[in-house]
Amino acid sequence: MDARQLPSQRGFAWLNEGFRLWRRNPALLTFVSFGYLLTLLLVSIVPFIGQPIASLLMPVLSLGVLNTCLAIDQGRKAGPDVLFSGFQQNLPALVMIGAIYLVASVAVLAITIVADGGTLLSMMTTGARIDPQATGGTGFTIALLIAIALSTPVMMAYWFAPVLAGWWKIPAPKAMFFSFIACQRNWRPFLMYSIALAMFAAVLPSMVLALVGRLSPILATLLSVPLPLVVIPIVFASFYVNACDVFGPPRDGSAGA
């Protein structure tokens, strides 16, 4: 795969273009984005097997969200069922990507045991309540830093992999390799994108709610409900934008919707 090397400023543009894409069909993109999150949540709460299955399905469903963005971008009609269109596109490779990502993520958490004795691992895998004293120590801080450092290349390998496997029918290992290389070549725009994403999805909403809360706590509470309905779909749309920016849109007929 030929991944374009983009200038730094493209990272800021991805969110803006994602916003414009969302405006073209906010209802469908919002439904599919939250359908993705809700489906993974419902699967993950199944005892024992829920979380592994959710990890395996994550690339499949994320491809469905990107197929939704593709349909909107191309002006094609699509219904809510497009969320599950990934099941018809190179499904074995998508599931394999989920499996590799799961194993790599668990391996990263396992390494942090050296620093904190397993506190972070327990927190992330079981959701158990942890003693505040355990999370306030130096060992836990070191474990967090290790997790961030080691999970970054894992995320780079995953970022474009569902798109490459689903739209271009590339096997899972190659898709993750090309994804890593593409992210590495475009680390500058991704750094700018990370800053823009933090501002848009965290800092600005917090500032708005804090400002409104000073004027009317009730209004701030009411505003906190619809705000994610706008922010989250735009963020998902920006994922589609950067994928097409780096690799180009899929060939005709290569993506189902």
Side-chain angles (χ1 to χ4, degrees):
M1 293 298 300
D2 184 18
R4 302 187 183 105
Q5 189 168 4
L6 305 172
S8 301
Q9 59 267 28
R10 284 303 301 160
F12 288 114
W14 291 337
L15 268 177
N16 180 50
E17 293 175 16
F19 172 70
R20 288 189 290 179
L21 183 64
W22 169 78
R23 286 184 58 189
R24 293 173 60 181
N25 197 334
L28 178 60
L29 193 49
T30 300
F31 178 88
V32 170
S33 299
F34 280 87
Y36 164 85
L37 296 174
L38 181 60
T39 301
L40 291 181
L41 176 63
L42 292 176
V43 172
S44 66
I45 62 177
V46 176
F48 304 111
I49 62 172
Q51 290 187 352
I53 292 178
S55 297
L56 298 180
L57 292 179
M58 188 167 65
V60 184
L61 295 175
S62 64
L63 182 63
V65 178
L66 296 173
N67 284 340
T68 304
C69 295
L70 177 64
I72 295 172
D73 193 25
Q74 294 181 342
R76 294 186 283 111
K77 290 184 178 180
D81 59 319
V82 70
L83 174 61
F84 303 103
S85 58
F87 285 94
Q88 303 171 3
Q89 296 172 256
N90 203 7
L91 181 60
L94 291 170
V95 173
M96 179 60 69
I97 289 169
I100 295 173
Y101 181 74
L102 173 62
V103 171
S105 299
V106 173
V108 168
L109 291 174
I111 293 173
T112 65
I113 295 176
V114 177
D116 68 353
T119 301
L120 181 61
L121 175 63
S122 177
M123 180 184 297
M124 298 298 295
T125 57
T126 67
R129 297 183 62 181
I130 304 298
D131 185 353
Q133 292 184 349
T135 60
T138 304
F140 186 78
T141 301
I142 295 175
L144 281 176
L145 294 175
I146 292 174
I148 292 171
L150 296 181
S151 63
T152 297
V154 175
M155 180 57 68
M156 291 169 63
Y158 175 82
W159 190 265
F160 294 117
V163 166
L164 296 175
W167 289 354
W168 283 279
K169 314 303 180 187
I170 297 176
K174 287 187 177 180
M176 300 190 80
F177 172 77
F178 289 138
S179 175
F180 179 85
I181 295 299
C183 289
Q184 188 272 330
R185 292 186 64 185
N186 289 282
W187 70 268
R188 292 178 181 85
F190 267 107
L191 178 60
M192 299 300 104
Y193 176 63
S194 300
I195 295 172
L197 202 60
M199 292 293 297
F200 175 72
V203 177
L204 289 180
S206 298
M207 292 176 60
V208 170
L209 291 176
L211 180 61
V212 174
R214 291 183 178 182
L215 303 174
S216 172
I218 296 177
L219 182 58
T221 302
L222 294 176
L223 184 61
S224 65
V225 175
L227 199 58
L229 297 177
V230 176
V231 172
I232 292 176
I234 292 174
V235 171
F236 274 108
S238 71
F239 297 163
Y240 165 81
V241 172
N242 63 53
C244 289
D245 212 9
V246 173
F247 289 101
R251 298 186 301 270
D252 292 341
S254 65

